[in-house]
Amino acid sequence: MQAALAGFALGMSLIVAIGAQNAFVLRQGIVRAHVFPVAAICAASDAVLIAAGVAGFGALTGALPWLETAMRWVGAAFLLWYGLRSWRAAWRGEGALRAGAAAGSLRAAVLTCLALTWLNPHVYLDTVMLLGAVSAQYEDRIGFALGAMAASVLFFFTLAYAGRLLAPVFARPAAWRVLDLGIGAVMLALAARLASGQ
């Protein structure tokens, strides 16, 4: 139980910070579109990465130093594109929120979610390497991993479904513009950070 609680606490602390993936999950929750698949993809992806880290997959980036650089540049390019797209939506003022609108198809939502998750090199540093390294301190590494996975499931489903509570606020075009501007700023800041190697 101690290992599971430690994994839960560390896992939660790593995913609570606002980032590209979290901003996307929140947006999907607000528009009430593809909420369950998006949250499930995020939680399942984290589970795979956590399991890989606890199993020692972090050694891969040590064996292939070019892999981190390649992931960093691909991730930065994707975040730049997504951030500029959000700013364009804010500039155009595409109207008030309508449930299911502006979300696109399920396929588009899934692909965007996968890209925001798997093209982010920080997810490998945090989830795979850091959680993997910390788990080595515990005799019950499986309990540690399960605790971290539980934190991910709780966080992503709470974030996705809590977005529905904000839907009345985003019935106004001005609120939606502010959100798109904020999401764009987060994405561009993360892209700049990745490009600078931080």
Side-chain angles (χ1 to χ4, degrees):
M1 183 57 82
Q2 183 182 0
L5 289 175
F8 183 90
L10 182 57
M12 189 64 77
S13 69
L14 290 174
I15 59 176
V16 161
I18 189 67
Q21 184 188 49
N22 295 353
F24 178 74
V25 172
L26 178 62
R27 187 181 195 283
Q28 292 301 116
I30 290 170
V31 299
R32 292 176 281 179
H34 317 306
V35 177
F36 182 85
V38 164
I41 286 168
C42 292
S45 296
D46 266 11
V48 169
L49 292 163
I50 291 164
V54 171
F57 188 72
L60 180 63
T61 55
L64 302 172
W66 59 267
L67 187 60
E68 184 181 338
T69 302
M71 288 188 306
R72 181 164 49 89
W73 284 107
V74 171
F78 180 78
L79 290 171
L80 175 65
W81 170 80
Y82 196 92
L84 292 175
R85 189 181 125 196
S86 293
W87 277 2
R88 185 185 70 181
W91 175 262
R92 289 181 174 179
E94 295 176 339
L97 171 66
R98 296 179 305 280
S105 67
L106 174 61
R107 180 176 181 272
V110 166
L111 290 175
T112 301
C113 186
L114 289 170
L116 289 171
T117 302
W118 292 92
L119 294 180
N120 178 6
H122 288 292
V123 79
Y124 298 96
L125 296 174
D126 291 346
T127 310
V128 176
M129 298 185 79
L130 180 59
L131 278 171
V134 173
S135 74
Q137 301 172 15
Y138 293 90
E139 188 174 325
D140 183 11
R141 294 177 72 179
I142 293 175
F144 182 90
L146 291 175
M149 291 174 190
S152 179
V153 169
L154 177 66
F155 176 78
F156 284 117
F157 278 93
T158 300
L159 181 64
Y161 283 98
R164 292 178 180 223
L165 302 176
L166 298 173
V169 174
F170 288 93
R172 294 173 294 174
W176 196 251
R177 279 186 166 180
V178 169
L179 180 68
D180 275 333
L181 285 171
I183 289 174
V186 168
M187 303 292 182
L188 294 175
L190 290 171
R193 194 171 164 197
L194 284 180
S196 67
Q198 296 179 348

